Amino acid sequence: MTGRPRDPAVDDAIRQAALSLITEQGYRGVSMEGIAARSGVSKQAVYRRYPSKGEVILDVLAVYARTRLPTPDTGDLREDLLALLEATFAGQRGVPGALNQALAAEALQDPAFAERVSRELIAARRQAVRQILTRARERGQLAHPDDDLLVDLVFGPMWYALLFAPGRLTDAYAAALADAVIAVGTHAG
Amino acid sequence: MTGRPRDPAVDDAIRQAALSLITEQGYRGVSMEGIAARSGVSKQAVYRRYPSKGEVILDVLAVYARTRLPTPDTGDLREDLLALLEATFAGQRGVPGALNQALAAEALQDPAFAERVSRELIAARRQAVRQILTRARERGQLAHPDDDLLVDLVFGPMWYALLFAPGRLTDAYAAALADAVIAVGTHAG
Amino acid sequence: MTGRPRDPAVDDAIRQAALSLITEQGYRGVSMEGIAARSGVSKQAVYRRYPSKGEVILDVLAVYARTRLPTPDTGDLREDLLALLEATFAGQRGVPGALNQALAAEALQDPAFAERVSRELIAARRQAVRQILTRARERGQLAHPDDDLLVDLVFGPMWYALLFAPGRLTDAYAAALADAVIAVGTHAG
Amino acid sequence: MTGRPRDPAVDDAIRQAALSLITEQGYRGVSMEGIAARSGVSKQAVYRRYPSKGEVILDVLAVYARTRLPTPDTGDLREDLLALLEATFAGQRGVPGALNQALAAEALQDPAFAERVSRELIAARRQAVRQILTRARERGQLAHPDDDLLVDLVFGPMWYALLFAPGRLTDAYAAALADAVIAVGTHAG
DNA sequence: CCTTAATCGAGACGGTACGTCCTGTCTTGTT
DNA sequence: AACAAGACAGGACGTACCGTCTCGATTAAGG
């Protein structure tokens, strides 16, 4: 029933190989074959762990982004939003940006995978923003009733930029976006 | 010097085949090989016209979406925005949605293509919104100085939805989004 | 130093699985993996007993064909030969035929194995025929001096048939072959 | 309808690669993958021509053995048989021997292929011997009525040797076998 | 009218990746 | 030790596309 346990070194080698392939060559350059070759691992070992390229990327992202979303709590909505947006955008400028792009590419090709990503990854990120909003609402700083819309206003432009203009994700943009969200939030809706 | 002219029937067959493949099987199911096979055309004939899958999709989209963005001009910002958003979202619910998803998938795998899409297609759409905003500004209905941000607030959530939750693009969502944009726009920024 | 003794039930399960796989699917369908799976035994247990597929087959054949070659002794060369040939051919029409074919396939792919088979299995069969010939010679019924050639005349056509026309191994063929061998044997050579 | 014609150089490269692989490493060392790699040809190019390893070998053998079976006609049965047997055995001592072994290995694993080989290759060889026998019969040198049996006596021992003792195929063996066949042939049967 | 040149379909070409299967070895915990 | 379980590197399987190429057969426009 037990069998030989999986070698954690193999896990690491696979993730490391996938990560370096994505950063070096982008999503195009990633293949199950290539990951196996680069990591010095058999294809079987990869397929045993992940049914598809997307799952590899998802896992790499999960491990890589252990630097948790901060969910700052300064007592001020603007401060909180700004901190989260700057942190998030900063991340997207580097390797995680490439990972998220790869993720999106995979999701666009496989609705089931998109659903999975939505539930496991996207939801967590949304929750972080929603928490900030909830606290602001409790302090009476928020009039707009639809948190979902406000969250969309945060992440929508981010993904838009990842798709067509990754360079746009600057601190200044984070500030402008934070102000915009607050402008909407302080209205009654 | 002239040689045999290109057969327009071949052009049509290619576009038609690409379109039906995308709608039937999604981006996954589309290949240059498949397009040629489905259209009864030689691979060479396809490659002569388009250097890559992405270009085919781009062209199909251009032809298919001859139903131009309206750029309504009712004299009222909210009316204009609402009309445009509803029309745009309505389009994304059907076949053009699949085409846009395919486009995004391709763009994510090829930065050069992303750039091209950005310049040729995205820019036009942004321009339509910017026109509405400009007119509103001339009427004194707009305080916010950064049109680009406002445009991002319009298209960001749309692409976000296309990536992870296509069902979200309803008329109600269009209305909420229009209100949000106006809320931001009427602030000084 | 002794450790746990080998489980005879495992031995049986392996042989049984190998046998049924060969008869059901032929040599093609036989693999160490498949034998282990079919017998519900670990691969290690198989490899512990047999270094290769060929050895399994060889062992299965040995156990299965405990119905020893008869080496009849009727006092008449023709009677003896006919009895042996009919018995042998009869065997080759059923399961042992498939086993012998598998054996040959393995031998052709591995000269060392061929040598081993030759020494252990082929030699025994040849000895049986040689015994018949020796007795005939002592009775003065045999003029030809080269027993090896005569034995080849018996088994050559049998293997030939196993390779390319298994259906040929009938009783009539056995009779014709026995007569041929006698025709050669009664000549001086 | 026409399409680009197959490149004969590719044909040659494949056959050459297959031949050298067989002679160097035996049937074990032959794989479609290996043939493609060795010949510098794509796997597709190989599969386009041959559905299986066996077909490659069969074709290589056919091309290689353009040194047709002689079918000598000296007016004397013994002379004819001896010439053919010596020529045949001589061939089996070298590269064609390895090819025939590979062929047999494949045939043993695939009854349909065995049938094909039987019809296309084996039949031709048998015909050569039968021709010799027919001429002898017309000259009154042959009493035995069953040519098929006589042919089996020629080829049976040859394949037997190829399977288990390739070294046995000497000129002396050819002579002994020729005499044996004649001994049978001059009897009434 | 008759070259000239680009098109057409067909399909071969070297490559790369797919996802599966088998080989023979190994590493667990259990008996 | 042997056992079931199952991971491991390696390698072959047969298929699908990639983008390029070479055919023979059209289809105009220009000499």
Side-chain angles (χ1 to χ4, degrees), chain C residues 27-28 108-109 122 126 152 159-160 168 173 184 187, chain D residues 27-28 106 109 122 126 152 159-160 168 173 184 187:
Chain C
Y27 177 72
R28 250 299 140 78
L108 281 166
Q109 297 178 46
I122 305 295
R126 293 182 73 89
D152 284 0
W159 283 101
Y160 186 40
R168 205 181 295 173
Y173 192 60
V184 176
H187 269 60
Chain D
Y27 177 73
R28 256 293 146 78
E106 198 68 25
Q109 297 178 47
I122 304 296
R126 293 182 73 88
D152 285 1
W159 283 102
Y160 187 40
R168 206 182 297 174
Y173 192 60
V184 176
H187 270 59

PDB file of all heavy atoms in Angstrom, chain C residues 27-28 108-109 122 126 152 159-160 168 173 184 187, chain D residues 27-28 106 109 122 126 152 159-160 168 173 184 187:
ATOM      1  N   TYR C  27       3.192 -13.810 -27.957  1.00  0.00           N
ATOM      2  CA  TYR C  27       4.427 -13.284 -27.389  1.00  0.00           C
ATOM      3  C   TYR C  27       4.396 -11.770 -27.284  1.00  0.00           C
ATOM      4  O   TYR C  27       4.924 -11.190 -26.336  1.00  0.00           O
ATOM      5  CB  TYR C  27       5.594 -13.731 -28.271  1.00  0.00           C
ATOM      6  CG  TYR C  27       6.925 -13.192 -27.831  1.00  0.00           C
ATOM      7  CD1 TYR C  27       7.536 -13.676 -26.680  1.00  0.00           C
ATOM      8  CD2 TYR C  27       7.567 -12.204 -28.551  1.00  0.00           C
ATOM      9  CE1 TYR C  27       8.761 -13.184 -26.272  1.00  0.00           C
ATOM     10  CE2 TYR C  27       8.789 -11.707 -28.151  1.00  0.00           C
ATOM     11  CZ  TYR C  27       9.385 -12.198 -27.010  1.00  0.00           C
ATOM     12  OH  TYR C  27      10.586 -11.700 -26.611  1.00  0.00           O
ATOM     13  N   ARG C  28       3.781 -11.133 -28.249  1.00  0.00           N
ATOM     14  CA  ARG C  28       3.678  -9.676 -28.253  1.00  0.00           C
ATOM     15  C   ARG C  28       3.095  -9.120 -26.966  1.00  0.00           C
ATOM     16  O   ARG C  28       3.530  -8.120 -26.438  1.00  0.00           O
ATOM     17  CB  ARG C  28       2.743  -9.226 -29.393  1.00  0.00           C
ATOM     18  CG  ARG C  28       3.322  -8.523 -30.566  1.00  0.00           C
ATOM     19  CD  ARG C  28       3.995  -7.235 -30.267  1.00  0.00           C
ATOM     20  NE  ARG C  28       5.222  -7.031 -31.022  1.00  0.00           N
ATOM     21  CZ  ARG C  28       5.302  -6.654 -32.271  1.00  0.00           C
ATOM     22  NH1 ARG C  28       4.224  -6.435 -32.964  1.00  0.00           N
ATOM     23  NH2 ARG C  28       6.471  -6.496 -32.854  1.00  0.00           N
ATOM     24  N   LEU C 108      15.861 -15.523 -30.761  1.00  0.00           N
ATOM     25  CA  LEU C 108      16.329 -14.763 -31.920  1.00  0.00           C
ATOM     26  C   LEU C 108      16.815 -13.368 -31.528  1.00  0.00           C
ATOM     27  O   LEU C 108      17.540 -12.711 -32.266  1.00  0.00           O
ATOM     28  CB  LEU C 108      15.191 -14.628 -32.943  1.00  0.00           C
ATOM     29  CG  LEU C 108      14.962 -15.857 -33.804  1.00  0.00           C
ATOM     30  CD1 LEU C 108      13.638 -15.768 -34.527  1.00  0.00           C
ATOM     31  CD2 LEU C 108      16.100 -16.011 -34.799  1.00  0.00           C
ATOM     32  N   GLN C 109      16.360 -12.914 -30.369  1.00  0.00           N
ATOM     33  CA  GLN C 109      16.747 -11.572 -29.950  1.00  0.00           C
ATOM     34  C   GLN C 109      17.905 -11.579 -28.970  1.00  0.00           C
ATOM     35  O   GLN C 109      18.396 -10.540 -28.573  1.00  0.00           O
ATOM     36  CB  GLN C 109      15.541 -10.866 -29.302  1.00  0.00           C
ATOM     37  CG  GLN C 109      14.402 -10.669 -30.279  1.00  0.00           C
ATOM     38  CD  GLN C 109      13.206 -10.021 -29.607  1.00  0.00           C
ATOM     39  OE1 GLN C 109      13.333  -9.044 -28.878  1.00  0.00           O
ATOM     40  NE2 GLN C 109      12.029 -10.561 -29.851  1.00  0.00           N
ATOM     41  N   ILE C 122      16.585 -28.001 -26.218  1.00  0.00           N
ATOM     42  CA  ILE C 122      16.738 -28.623 -27.529  1.00  0.00           C
ATOM     43  C   ILE C 122      17.519 -29.924 -27.417  1.00  0.00           C
ATOM     44  O   ILE C 122      17.135 -30.957 -27.999  1.00  0.00           O
ATOM     45  CB  ILE C 122      17.468 -27.648 -28.483  1.00  0.00           C
ATOM     46  CG1 ILE C 122      16.739 -26.310 -28.549  1.00  0.00           C
ATOM     47  CG2 ILE C 122      17.606 -28.271 -29.852  1.00  0.00           C
ATOM     48  CD1 ILE C 122      15.377 -26.376 -29.141  1.00  0.00           C
ATOM     49  N   ARG C 126      16.554 -33.652 -28.761  1.00  0.00           N
ATOM     50  CA  ARG C 126      17.394 -34.352 -29.736  1.00  0.00           C
ATOM     51  C   ARG C 126      17.812 -35.715 -29.177  1.00  0.00           C
ATOM     52  O   ARG C 126      17.849 -36.713 -29.901  1.00  0.00           O
ATOM     53  CB  ARG C 126      18.643 -33.525 -30.059  1.00  0.00           C
ATOM     54  CG  ARG C 126      18.357 -32.230 -30.805  1.00  0.00           C
ATOM     55  CD  ARG C 126      19.652 -31.480 -31.127  1.00  0.00           C
ATOM     56  NE  ARG C 126      20.390 -32.138 -32.187  1.00  0.00           N
ATOM     57  CZ  ARG C 126      20.208 -31.883 -33.470  1.00  0.00           C
ATOM     58  NH1 ARG C 126      19.293 -31.005 -33.858  1.00  0.00           N
ATOM     59  NH2 ARG C 126      20.912 -32.529 -34.382  1.00  0.00           N
ATOM     60  N   ASP C 152      18.176 -33.553 -37.345  1.00  0.00           N
ATOM     61  CA  ASP C 152      17.837 -32.273 -37.981  1.00  0.00           C
ATOM     62  C   ASP C 152      16.652 -32.433 -38.927  1.00  0.00           C
ATOM     63  O   ASP C 152      15.803 -31.544 -39.053  1.00  0.00           O
ATOM     64  CB  ASP C 152      19.024 -31.736 -38.788  1.00  0.00           C
ATOM     65  CG  ASP C 152      20.097 -31.149 -37.874  1.00  0.00           C
ATOM     66  OD1 ASP C 152      19.905 -31.173 -36.647  1.00  0.00           O
ATOM     67  OD2 ASP C 152      21.120 -30.663 -38.389  1.00  0.00           O
ATOM     68  N   TRP C 159      10.237 -26.776 -36.739  1.00  0.00           N
ATOM     69  CA  TRP C 159      10.429 -25.362 -36.423  1.00  0.00           C
ATOM     70  C   TRP C 159      10.071 -24.476 -37.613  1.00  0.00           C
ATOM     71  O   TRP C 159       9.529 -23.380 -37.453  1.00  0.00           O
ATOM     72  CB  TRP C 159      11.884 -25.099 -35.994  1.00  0.00           C
ATOM     73  CG  TRP C 159      12.148 -25.541 -34.592  1.00  0.00           C
ATOM     74  CD1 TRP C 159      12.776 -26.686 -34.194  1.00  0.00           C
ATOM     75  CD2 TRP C 159      11.752 -24.857 -33.398  1.00  0.00           C
ATOM     76  NE1 TRP C 159      12.809 -26.766 -32.830  1.00  0.00           N
ATOM     77  CE2 TRP C 159      12.190 -25.657 -32.306  1.00  0.00           C
ATOM     78  CE3 TRP C 159      11.090 -23.669 -33.125  1.00  0.00           C
ATOM     79  CZ2 TRP C 159      11.976 -25.283 -30.978  1.00  0.00           C
ATOM     80  CZ3 TRP C 159      10.878 -23.300 -31.807  1.00  0.00           C
ATOM     81  CH2 TRP C 159      11.310 -24.101 -30.742  1.00  0.00           C
ATOM     82  N   TYR C 160      10.395 -24.969 -38.767  1.00  0.00           N
ATOM     83  CA  TYR C 160      10.030 -24.244 -39.989  1.00  0.00           C
ATOM     84  C   TYR C 160       8.527 -23.975 -39.997  1.00  0.00           C
ATOM     85  O   TYR C 160       8.066 -22.855 -40.236  1.00  0.00           O
ATOM     86  CB  TYR C 160      10.440 -25.090 -41.188  1.00  0.00           C
ATOM     87  CG  TYR C 160      10.284 -24.447 -42.537  1.00  0.00           C
ATOM     88  CD1 TYR C 160      10.592 -23.103 -42.760  1.00  0.00           C
ATOM     89  CD2 TYR C 160       9.861 -25.211 -43.632  1.00  0.00           C
ATOM     90  CE1 TYR C 160      10.476 -22.543 -44.027  1.00  0.00           C
ATOM     91  CE2 TYR C 160       9.744 -24.663 -44.889  1.00  0.00           C
ATOM     92  CZ  TYR C 160      10.049 -23.322 -45.083  1.00  0.00           C
ATOM     93  OH  TYR C 160       9.938 -22.783 -46.329  1.00  0.00           O
ATOM     94  N   ARG C 168       0.559 -26.786 -40.468  1.00  0.00           N
ATOM     95  CA  ARG C 168       1.059 -27.905 -41.250  1.00  0.00           C
ATOM     96  C   ARG C 168       1.358 -29.162 -40.417  1.00  0.00           C
ATOM     97  O   ARG C 168       1.553 -30.252 -40.972  1.00  0.00           O
ATOM     98  CB  ARG C 168       2.339 -27.463 -41.993  1.00  0.00           C
ATOM     99  CG  ARG C 168       2.613 -28.263 -43.245  1.00  0.00           C
ATOM    100  CD  ARG C 168       3.895 -27.819 -43.927  1.00  0.00           C
ATOM    101  NE  ARG C 168       3.819 -26.456 -44.441  1.00  0.00           N
ATOM    102  CZ  ARG C 168       4.866 -25.817 -44.963  1.00  0.00           C
ATOM    103  NH1 ARG C 168       6.027 -26.409 -45.048  1.00  0.00           N
ATOM    104  NH2 ARG C 168       4.725 -24.576 -45.398  1.00  0.00           N
ATOM    105  N   TYR C 173       1.524 -35.406 -41.906  1.00  0.00           N
ATOM    106  CA  TYR C 173       2.854 -34.837 -42.099  1.00  0.00           C
ATOM    107  C   TYR C 173       3.871 -35.619 -41.276  1.00  0.00           C
ATOM    108  O   TYR C 173       4.994 -35.891 -41.733  1.00  0.00           O
ATOM    109  CB  TYR C 173       2.855 -33.359 -41.702  1.00  0.00           C
ATOM    110  CG  TYR C 173       4.083 -32.605 -42.119  1.00  0.00           C
ATOM    111  CD1 TYR C 173       4.442 -32.497 -43.462  1.00  0.00           C
ATOM    112  CD2 TYR C 173       4.886 -31.991 -41.177  1.00  0.00           C
ATOM    113  CE1 TYR C 173       5.580 -31.793 -43.840  1.00  0.00           C
ATOM    114  CE2 TYR C 173       6.017 -31.277 -41.537  1.00  0.00           C
ATOM    115  CZ  TYR C 173       6.360 -31.182 -42.878  1.00  0.00           C
ATOM    116  OH  TYR C 173       7.477 -30.491 -43.240  1.00  0.00           O
ATOM    117  N   VAL C 184      16.283 -41.923 -45.656  1.00  0.00           N
ATOM    118  CA  VAL C 184      17.670 -41.468 -45.554  1.00  0.00           C
ATOM    119  C   VAL C 184      18.483 -42.433 -44.697  1.00  0.00           C
ATOM    120  O   VAL C 184      19.620 -42.790 -45.034  1.00  0.00           O
ATOM    121  CB  VAL C 184      17.737 -40.058 -44.928  1.00  0.00           C
ATOM    122  CG1 VAL C 184      19.180 -39.628 -44.725  1.00  0.00           C
ATOM    123  CG2 VAL C 184      16.990 -39.065 -45.799  1.00  0.00           C
ATOM    124  N   HIS C 187      19.888 -45.652 -46.181  1.00  0.00           N
ATOM    125  CA  HIS C 187      20.976 -45.480 -47.139  1.00  0.00           C
ATOM    126  C   HIS C 187      22.308 -45.480 -46.400  1.00  0.00           C
ATOM    127  O   HIS C 187      22.374 -45.217 -45.196  1.00  0.00           O
ATOM    128  CB  HIS C 187      20.828 -44.159 -47.895  1.00  0.00           C
ATOM    129  CG  HIS C 187      20.038 -44.332 -49.155  1.00  0.00           C
ATOM    130  ND1 HIS C 187      18.734 -44.785 -49.150  1.00  0.00           N
ATOM    131  CD2 HIS C 187      20.357 -44.119 -50.462  1.00  0.00           C
ATOM    132  CE1 HIS C 187      18.288 -44.837 -50.389  1.00  0.00           C
ATOM    133  NE2 HIS C 187      19.259 -44.435 -51.209  1.00  0.00           N
TER     134      HIS C 187
ATOM    135  N   TYR D  27      18.676  -7.737 -33.988  1.00  0.00           N
ATOM    136  CA  TYR D  27      17.288  -7.313 -34.013  1.00  0.00           C
ATOM    137  C   TYR D  27      16.937  -6.476 -32.794  1.00  0.00           C
ATOM    138  O   TYR D  27      16.157  -5.531 -32.874  1.00  0.00           O
ATOM    139  CB  TYR D  27      16.396  -8.550 -34.076  1.00  0.00           C
ATOM    140  CG  TYR D  27      14.935  -8.254 -34.029  1.00  0.00           C
ATOM    141  CD1 TYR D  27      14.294  -7.699 -35.137  1.00  0.00           C
ATOM    142  CD2 TYR D  27      14.183  -8.519 -32.894  1.00  0.00           C
ATOM    143  CE1 TYR D  27      12.944  -7.423 -35.094  1.00  0.00           C
ATOM    144  CE2 TYR D  27      12.843  -8.245 -32.847  1.00  0.00           C
ATOM    145  CZ  TYR D  27      12.218  -7.696 -33.949  1.00  0.00           C
ATOM    146  OH  TYR D  27      10.890  -7.420 -33.906  1.00  0.00           O
ATOM    147  N   ARG D  28      17.506  -6.810 -31.654  1.00  0.00           N
ATOM    148  CA  ARG D  28      17.252  -6.076 -30.425  1.00  0.00           C
ATOM    149  C   ARG D  28      17.509  -4.583 -30.586  1.00  0.00           C
ATOM    150  O   ARG D  28      16.792  -3.750 -30.055  1.00  0.00           O
ATOM    151  CB  ARG D  28      18.182  -6.590 -29.309  1.00  0.00           C
ATOM    152  CG  ARG D  28      17.572  -7.463 -28.276  1.00  0.00           C
ATOM    153  CD  ARG D  28      16.573  -6.754 -27.407  1.00  0.00           C
ATOM    154  NE  ARG D  28      15.473  -7.600 -26.989  1.00  0.00           N
ATOM    155  CZ  ARG D  28      15.512  -8.499 -26.029  1.00  0.00           C
ATOM    156  NH1 ARG D  28      16.614  -8.715 -25.358  1.00  0.00           N
ATOM    157  NH2 ARG D  28      14.445  -9.201 -25.739  1.00  0.00           N
ATOM    158  N   GLU D 106      10.305 -11.086 -36.043  1.00  0.00           N
ATOM    159  CA  GLU D 106       9.120 -10.278 -36.276  1.00  0.00           C
ATOM    160  C   GLU D 106       7.919 -11.163 -36.599  1.00  0.00           C
ATOM    161  O   GLU D 106       6.808 -10.949 -36.088  1.00  0.00           O
ATOM    162  CB  GLU D 106       9.392  -9.312 -37.440  1.00  0.00           C
ATOM    163  CG  GLU D 106       8.445  -8.148 -37.519  1.00  0.00           C
ATOM    164  CD  GLU D 106       8.593  -7.164 -36.375  1.00  0.00           C
ATOM    165  OE1 GLU D 106       9.687  -7.093 -35.781  1.00  0.00           O
ATOM    166  OE2 GLU D 106       7.596  -6.487 -36.041  1.00  0.00           O
ATOM    167  N   GLN D 109       6.125 -12.697 -33.789  1.00  0.00           N
ATOM    168  CA  GLN D 109       5.357 -11.800 -32.934  1.00  0.00           C
ATOM    169  C   GLN D 109       4.106 -11.283 -33.616  1.00  0.00           C
ATOM    170  O   GLN D 109       3.318 -10.571 -33.009  1.00  0.00           O
ATOM    171  CB  GLN D 109       6.239 -10.609 -32.514  1.00  0.00           C
ATOM    172  CG  GLN D 109       7.432 -11.027 -31.680  1.00  0.00           C
ATOM    173  CD  GLN D 109       8.311  -9.854 -31.321  1.00  0.00           C
ATOM    174  OE1 GLN D 109       7.841  -8.812 -30.897  1.00  0.00           O
ATOM    175  NE2 GLN D 109       9.603 -10.019 -31.509  1.00  0.00           N
ATOM    176  N   ILE D 122       9.116 -16.442 -48.713  1.00  0.00           N
ATOM    177  CA  ILE D 122       9.320 -17.876 -48.572  1.00  0.00           C
ATOM    178  C   ILE D 122       8.896 -18.609 -49.848  1.00  0.00           C
ATOM    179  O   ILE D 122       9.594 -19.484 -50.350  1.00  0.00           O
ATOM    180  CB  ILE D 122       8.502 -18.407 -47.379  1.00  0.00           C
ATOM    181  CG1 ILE D 122       8.869 -17.632 -46.110  1.00  0.00           C
ATOM    182  CG2 ILE D 122       8.733 -19.884 -47.200  1.00  0.00           C
ATOM    183  CD1 ILE D 122      10.268 -17.797 -45.654  1.00  0.00           C
ATOM    184  N   ARG D 126      10.965 -21.340 -52.129  1.00  0.00           N
ATOM    185  CA  ARG D 126      10.477 -22.704 -52.326  1.00  0.00           C
ATOM    186  C   ARG D 126      10.346 -22.998 -53.822  1.00  0.00           C
ATOM    187  O   ARG D 126      10.655 -24.089 -54.294  1.00  0.00           O
ATOM    188  CB  ARG D 126       9.119 -22.890 -51.653  1.00  0.00           C
ATOM    189  CG  ARG D 126       9.174 -22.815 -50.136  1.00  0.00           C
ATOM    190  CD  ARG D 126       7.788 -23.069 -49.533  1.00  0.00           C
ATOM    191  NE  ARG D 126       7.393 -24.462 -49.630  1.00  0.00           N
ATOM    192  CZ  ARG D 126       7.692 -25.379 -48.721  1.00  0.00           C
ATOM    193  NH1 ARG D 126       8.402 -25.052 -47.663  1.00  0.00           N
ATOM    194  NH2 ARG D 126       7.298 -26.624 -48.869  1.00  0.00           N
ATOM    195  N   ASP D 152      10.593 -28.939 -47.793  1.00  0.00           N
ATOM    196  CA  ASP D 152      10.688 -28.775 -46.335  1.00  0.00           C
ATOM    197  C   ASP D 152      11.999 -29.348 -45.807  1.00  0.00           C
ATOM    198  O   ASP D 152      12.594 -28.808 -44.868  1.00  0.00           O
ATOM    199  CB  ASP D 152       9.526 -29.485 -45.640  1.00  0.00           C
ATOM    200  CG  ASP D 152       8.219 -28.708 -45.790  1.00  0.00           C
ATOM    201  OD1 ASP D 152       8.240 -27.651 -46.447  1.00  0.00           O
ATOM    202  OD2 ASP D 152       7.189 -29.157 -45.257  1.00  0.00           O
ATOM    203  N   TRP D 159      16.373 -23.160 -41.289  1.00  0.00           N
ATOM    204  CA  TRP D 159      15.786 -22.257 -40.291  1.00  0.00           C
ATOM    205  C   TRP D 159      16.080 -22.744 -38.881  1.00  0.00           C
ATOM    206  O   TRP D 159      16.316 -21.946 -37.959  1.00  0.00           O
ATOM    207  CB  TRP D 159      14.272 -22.130 -40.513  1.00  0.00           C
ATOM    208  CG  TRP D 159      13.926 -21.231 -41.658  1.00  0.00           C
ATOM    209  CD1 TRP D 159      13.542 -21.599 -42.910  1.00  0.00           C
ATOM    210  CD2 TRP D 159      13.955 -19.797 -41.659  1.00  0.00           C
ATOM    211  NE1 TRP D 159      13.337 -20.496 -43.693  1.00  0.00           N
ATOM    212  CE2 TRP D 159      13.578 -19.370 -42.953  1.00  0.00           C
ATOM    213  CE3 TRP D 159      14.266 -18.834 -40.712  1.00  0.00           C
ATOM    214  CZ2 TRP D 159      13.496 -18.020 -43.308  1.00  0.00           C
ATOM    215  CZ3 TRP D 159      14.185 -17.499 -41.057  1.00  0.00           C
ATOM    216  CH2 TRP D 159      13.806 -17.096 -42.343  1.00  0.00           C
ATOM    217  N   TYR D 160      16.067 -24.047 -38.725  1.00  0.00           N
ATOM    218  CA  TYR D 160      16.406 -24.631 -37.431  1.00  0.00           C
ATOM    219  C   TYR D 160      17.783 -24.130 -36.995  1.00  0.00           C
ATOM    220  O   TYR D 160      17.989 -23.673 -35.862  1.00  0.00           O
ATOM    221  CB  TYR D 160      16.401 -26.151 -37.578  1.00  0.00           C
ATOM    222  CG  TYR D 160      16.576 -26.936 -36.319  1.00  0.00           C
ATOM    223  CD1 TYR D 160      15.975 -26.555 -35.140  1.00  0.00           C
ATOM    224  CD2 TYR D 160      17.352 -28.099 -36.327  1.00  0.00           C
ATOM    225  CE1 TYR D 160      16.119 -27.316 -33.985  1.00  0.00           C
ATOM    226  CE2 TYR D 160      17.504 -28.871 -35.180  1.00  0.00           C
ATOM    227  CZ  TYR D 160      16.896 -28.462 -34.006  1.00  0.00           C
ATOM    228  OH  TYR D 160      17.044 -29.222 -32.871  1.00  0.00           O
ATOM    229  N   ARG D 168      26.193 -23.835 -37.962  1.00  0.00           N
ATOM    230  CA  ARG D 168      26.118 -25.154 -38.583  1.00  0.00           C
ATOM    231  C   ARG D 168      26.025 -25.118 -40.109  1.00  0.00           C
ATOM    232  O   ARG D 168      26.195 -26.144 -40.778  1.00  0.00           O
ATOM    233  CB  ARG D 168      24.886 -25.886 -38.001  1.00  0.00           C
ATOM    234  CG  ARG D 168      25.015 -27.396 -38.055  1.00  0.00           C
ATOM    235  CD  ARG D 168      23.778 -28.082 -37.517  1.00  0.00           C
ATOM    236  NE  ARG D 168      23.548 -27.796 -36.100  1.00  0.00           N
ATOM    237  CZ  ARG D 168      22.451 -28.189 -35.441  1.00  0.00           C
ATOM    238  NH1 ARG D 168      21.496 -28.854 -36.069  1.00  0.00           N
ATOM    239  NH2 ARG D 168      22.316 -27.894 -34.175  1.00  0.00           N
ATOM    240  N   TYR D 173      27.669 -29.393 -44.547  1.00  0.00           N
ATOM    241  CA  TYR D 173      26.277 -29.626 -44.177  1.00  0.00           C
ATOM    242  C   TYR D 173      25.387 -29.568 -45.411  1.00  0.00           C
ATOM    243  O   TYR D 173      24.447 -30.375 -45.554  1.00  0.00           O
ATOM    244  CB  TYR D 173      25.845 -28.580 -43.144  1.00  0.00           C
ATOM    245  CG  TYR D 173      24.527 -28.881 -42.469  1.00  0.00           C
ATOM    246  CD1 TYR D 173      24.358 -30.052 -41.734  1.00  0.00           C
ATOM    247  CD2 TYR D 173      23.466 -27.990 -42.553  1.00  0.00           C
ATOM    248  CE1 TYR D 173      23.151 -30.324 -41.107  1.00  0.00           C
ATOM    249  CE2 TYR D 173      22.255 -28.262 -41.924  1.00  0.00           C
ATOM    250  CZ  TYR D 173      22.104 -29.429 -41.206  1.00  0.00           C
ATOM    251  OH  TYR D 173      20.913 -29.704 -40.592  1.00  0.00           O
ATOM    252  N   VAL D 184      15.773 -39.475 -50.168  1.00  0.00           N
ATOM    253  CA  VAL D 184      14.315 -39.503 -50.048  1.00  0.00           C
ATOM    254  C   VAL D 184      13.672 -39.459 -51.428  1.00  0.00           C
ATOM    255  O   VAL D 184      12.714 -40.202 -51.715  1.00  0.00           O
ATOM    256  CB  VAL D 184      13.807 -38.325 -49.200  1.00  0.00           C
ATOM    257  CG1 VAL D 184      12.285 -38.305 -49.148  1.00  0.00           C
ATOM    258  CG2 VAL D 184      14.391 -38.384 -47.793  1.00  0.00           C
ATOM    259  N   HIS D 187      13.369 -42.623 -53.553  1.00  0.00           N
ATOM    260  CA  HIS D 187      12.402 -43.613 -53.076  1.00  0.00           C
ATOM    261  C   HIS D 187      11.018 -43.307 -53.645  1.00  0.00           C
ATOM    262  O   HIS D 187      10.749 -42.200 -54.091  1.00  0.00           O
ATOM    263  CB  HIS D 187      12.320 -43.587 -51.547  1.00  0.00           C
ATOM    264  CG  HIS D 187      13.299 -44.521 -50.911  1.00  0.00           C
ATOM    265  ND1 HIS D 187      14.670 -44.409 -51.112  1.00  0.00           N
ATOM    266  CD2 HIS D 187      13.129 -45.605 -50.098  1.00  0.00           C
ATOM    267  CE1 HIS D 187      15.285 -45.352 -50.439  1.00  0.00           C
ATOM    268  NE2 HIS D 187      14.374 -46.110 -49.809  1.00  0.00           N
TER     269      HIS D 187
END
